[in-house]
Amino acid sequence: MRIKSFQSYTTEHELPLTIPEIQAMIEDYLGRDDEEVLKLKAERRPGRPASTRQTLLEQHQATEQGEYASGFWVPDLEDSENLKKLKDWNGQWSGLATLRFARISKEGVKKESSFPPKGMS
């Protein structure tokens, strides 16, 4: 799902992206559930515990924010050849092996990574 999202984010890009542009995409991706969380909070009656769905979404958001702080795993979008491969990707898991990946941190540090991701590779 993550790779499919980044594939759709890059449809209008022909040139490799900069780290700030990639970070903007990551932040957009990380905020994908914000509206639903706000809606669930607004629907909850005062004094009632959060719904299971809200709790799960908030936990997932916290996990992804932690990953972003240390390095969010994404396709390497600074490489024009890799960008083209991502656009041509057919959605199959096996097709991801041809792509190069990187970890981009919130501070803008980029580290090469591998597929499938292993820990902080």
Side-chain angles (χ1 to χ4, degrees):
M1 179 104 166
R2 179 184 296 194
I3 307 306
K4 198 71 169 158
S5 295
F6 281 88
Q7 183 185 41
S8 69
Y9 291 157
T10 59
T11 54
E12 70 276 358
H13 293 88
E14 295 300 320
L15 299 173
L17 284 77
T18 63
I19 294 291
E21 289 173 320
I22 297 169
Q23 286 176 307
M25 287 180 181
I26 291 171
E27 289 166 12
D28 185 51
Y29 178 77
L30 293 176
R32 70 192 181 281
D33 294 325
D34 288 350
E35 287 181 29
E36 185 176 356
V37 170
L38 289 173
K39 181 178 175 246
L40 290 169
K41 284 181 181 180
E43 291 174 350
R44 191 175 76 224
R45 294 190 322 250
R48 301 291 300 166
S51 68
T52 303
R53 175 78 178 150
Q54 179 185 339
T55 302
L56 289 173
L57 285 172
E58 289 172 342
Q59 288 173 346
H60 193 253
Q61 286 179 326
T63 300
E64 286 183 334
Q65 287 291 340
E67 180 186 348
Y68 185 34
S70 58
F72 199 75
W73 187 76
V74 294
D76 185 352
L77 303 174
E78 283 189 306
D79 180 286
S80 59
E81 185 177 320
N82 205 53
L83 183 62
K84 182 179 179 342
K85 286 180 184 178
L86 177 62
K87 288 180 177 192
D88 295 340
W89 177 56
N90 63 4
Q92 297 295 317
W93 177 260
S94 59
L96 293 175
T98 63
L99 296 174
R100 290 189 21 230
F101 291 88
R103 288 197 176 268
I104 309 289
S105 73
K106 198 169 195 164
E107 290 80 35
V109 176
K110 175 185 170 187
K111 290 188 260 177
E112 295 297 318
S113 188
S114 62
F115 174 79
K118 300 173 195 122
M120 289 308 296
S121 69

